[in-house]
Amino acid sequence: MDLLSFDAVAKTVVRAVLDDVLDPVTVGISGAWGSGKTTVLRLIEDALAPQLPGMDATVLVISTDPWRYDPGVGAKETLISEVLAAVAAELARGEEPGQTPSRTRALLARLRQRVDWAKALQVAARTSLTLQLPSADDLTSLVNTESDNQDADATEPLSRGLEEFRTEFSTLMESPELSHLRRVVVLVDDLDRCLPDTVVDTLETIRLFLAVPKMAFVVAADEHRVADALRVRFPDPGNGQQAGSERYAEEPASLYLHKIVQTTVPLPTLSRFDTEAFLVLLQLSQRLSDQDLAPYIDACVRLRREKGLLDNLTAAVNGNDISTELAFASRMTPILYEKLHGSPRRIKRFLNDLRVRQSVADHRGIVLEPEIVAKLMVLEKLLPDAFTTVLGWLARGELRSRLTRLETAAGRPASDPTTPDAAGPSDEEPAPVPEEETEPTVFDDELIRWAKLPPGLATVDLAPYLYLAAAFSGEQLLDTGLPGRLRDIAANLLSTVRLDQRRVTDADIAALGEDDALSLIEYLARAGRDRPAEQTAAVRGVVRITTAYPATTDRAARLLQSVPASELEPATILTVPADAPAFRSVLEHWKAHAPADPDRIKRALEMALSTGSHA
């Protein structure tokens, strides 16, 4: 399916290769990696491969990829072998069973023998250079499998090489048995990925065929990268500078390339409209059949020509509800268009990565809405510096407060109705900000721009996903604000395994000193606020430390009030000692701001306050 509307490019190339005035011809399709060149080649193949309407002649299409050639066999020999194999198959298709081999068949066999000897020379050269004996496969390839064939004309001396190949191949193409062929079109892909020797040999082979009528080549490659490879073989003697009174108007590498590739069709990068349409169609292709997707592709083509809005796609196709796909594409297009430079491959890869990450998160028990994962993926994949900054907030236990400030700076409401996890407008007061974070924070433009993307995240538990993303990216989450001597203690206290928590003994806590104890309390309280999975362990650790250092209790109580009441776990509530006045005020604060649903939170708070019990 042509999701990129490259059919116009494909039709232009098809018209060129079938133009008798240009016969023979090589057409280039030039574009950066990932711009859709392979897609265009497939469209060309689909257009040429069937018998063309109203034509008695046939177009023989051959697809080749020099990047995948066996490095042990020369690119020239490989490409010629592929062309001869396709011609042999076409010749066999027109023969009757039991038909006596023709002179055309004998000529074809002779040409293939030349290639066999060329391959033999390649093997001999390679084994002599490496001082190795030929392998069994190499020896087998030296045997001319057609030497005993009755098709071969044994009366003529065999020239071991390709010197006379062009003349004989031209004779083959003019034979009556192949008169029905209008064109032999060779589609060459990925040439720009090859080493310089392969690039030169492939182009030399194309040059070999270009004196033969009915031959056409379509080379899909980044013209600049091909020229870079050619400069290794054809350096610029003028080095782009004045050479006496002469100035090289065009360097040898470009002259050589343009001698072989007569015309080039540049492949444009996607526009903003194209990017948005591509995003919509990629999403729809995951749930619609080709038949159901086709009307949307046609509608996108019409809207592009009419300079219409993609919002009109729903009206243009009276069918499925595509509001979700349209909303996603509308949100993602501005930043994907800019950061991925209109590259179809990179856009498609982003969506593939998004689906994989969503699947991994689901299997890890990380439940987030797809639009939240998409926003986080933008941060991770397209804004790596900003991603590192956010991971640092998580490591220091500042994630929630920093995100709240960031979204405020971005002009996003404190209670974002587009956030699936948000409770919506409520009477809950904003979480108190710890004293050490009250100084104004300046965010860079990239972070603010990212924060403007819906949905809002300040009220969402992002910690599990960010830990997962950090693991994938190899980032270490270390709180550089926490002294190294306290990190192991903090890690054990925050562990969800009680055995790890017990490894921190009362003696270890007593040996801390009041300053380190306060540092640990602040760290644990922030972790309990920002990382709900560690909430109960964090609060239990805070209570243990305040028991050893009563002077820190008031500070600990103020910090615990920043844990959102809507995210409380009953186990966390029962960990807080209600018989201590400072902690009782924490329970009362949570009760005052607890949501009505689920009511289990309020019931746990009422039980803790009425009994005064603690874990």
Side-chain angles (χ1 to χ4, degrees), residues 183-235:
R183 289 288 186 278
V184 175
V185 181
V186 184
L187 306 178
V188 184
D189 200 6
D190 286 336
L191 186 63
D192 47 1
R193 297 179 182 272
C194 298
L195 294 174
D197 286 346
T198 302
V199 171
V200 173
D201 285 351
T202 302
L203 291 175
E204 282 290 299
T205 307
I206 294 174
R207 186 172 66 87
L208 183 70
F209 282 112
L210 282 183
V212 180
K214 300 196 290 188
M215 292 298 298
F217 289 82
V218 180
V219 181
D222 184 336
E223 187 173 340
H224 299 294
R225 290 184 181 272
V226 173
D228 288 341
L230 290 174
R231 288 187 189 99
V232 177
R233 183 73 66 89
F234 306 106

Side-chain angles (χ1 to χ4, degrees), residues 239-254:
N239 198 26
Q241 303 297 322
Q242 226 30 43
S245 60
E246 179 183 6
R247 180 174 180 83
Y248 291 88
E250 190 171 9
E251 60 175 333
S254 296

Side-chain angles (χ1 to χ4, degrees), residues 262-438:
Q262 292 98 318
T263 185
T264 299
V265 180
L267 202 57
T269 57
L270 301 185
S271 66
R272 283 179 66 113
F273 179 92
D274 294 332
T275 300
E276 188 171 354
F278 189 44
L279 283 169
V280 171
L281 293 174
L282 279 176
Q283 294 176 86
L284 291 176
S285 67
Q286 297 301 308
R287 66 182 181 92
L288 299 181
S289 66
D290 287 353
Q291 182 179 356
D292 291 335
L293 183 62
Y296 291 98
I297 296 175
D298 295 340
C300 286
V301 173
R302 290 197 305 273
L303 289 172
R304 180 183 296 103
R305 290 172 179 168
E306 298 166 2
K307 302 188 184 306
L309 297 175
L310 208 61
D311 293 342
N312 298 329
L313 192 59
T314 302
V317 181
N318 185 17
N320 300 279
D321 178 10
I322 63 170
S323 57
T324 299
E325 288 82 3
L326 285 172
F328 175 86
S330 177
R331 286 199 297 265
M332 292 292 117
T333 293
I335 198 162
L336 293 184
Y337 172 70
E338 175 184 330
K339 297 298 181 181
L340 300 183
H341 307 291
S343 167
R345 180 178 298 160
R346 296 179 69 187
I347 292 170
K348 189 172 183 179
R349 178 166 181 168
F350 178 86
L351 289 188
N352 289 340
D353 289 345
L354 174 59
R355 281 192 286 269
V356 170
R357 186 59 57 82
Q358 181 74 60
S359 177
V360 172
D362 289 344
H363 283 91
R364 294 284 186 91
I366 302 171
V367 181
L368 289 175
E369 296 296 325
E371 55 265 38
I372 294 177
V373 177
K375 182 172 179 176
L376 293 172
M377 282 285 290
V378 167
L379 184 71
E380 178 184 353
K381 298 294 185 181
L382 307 184
L383 306 171
D385 292 339
F387 178 62
T388 301
T389 297
V390 173
L391 289 183
W393 296 345
L394 175 65
R396 294 191 298 273
E398 302 173 357
L399 180 63
R400 181 151 290 172
S401 61
R402 295 283 184 177
L403 279 177
T404 300
R405 292 180 180 187
L406 173 61
E407 294 191 345
T408 299
R412 180 170 293 286
S415 181
D416 187 349
T418 67
T419 305
D421 290 33
S426 69
D427 296 330
E428 184 172 349
E429 63 185 31
V433 178
E435 294 172 5
E436 72 276 12
E437 297 179 10
T438 54

Side-chain angles (χ1 to χ4, degrees), residues 391-399 434 436-437 467 477-483 486-495 515-531 534-535 537-539 541-542 545 555-556 559-560 562-563:
L391 289 183
W393 296 345
L394 175 65
R396 294 191 298 273
E398 302 173 357
L399 180 63
E436 72 276 12
E437 297 179 10
Y467 277 120
L477 294 180
L478 298 176
D479 182 8
T480 54
L482 190 67
L486 301 180
R487 290 176 189 168
D488 289 340
I489 295 176
N492 283 330
L493 288 174
L494 286 173
S495 174
D515 288 343
D516 281 352
L518 190 56
S519 295
L520 268 178
I521 285 173
E522 292 174 345
Y523 178 82
L524 294 174
R526 292 196 300 266
R529 177 194 65 200
D530 291 353
R531 308 200 287 263
E534 300 172 355
Q535 181 190 100
V539 174
V542 168
I545 297 172
R555 174 64 174 157
L559 289 168
L560 289 183
S562 68
V563 177

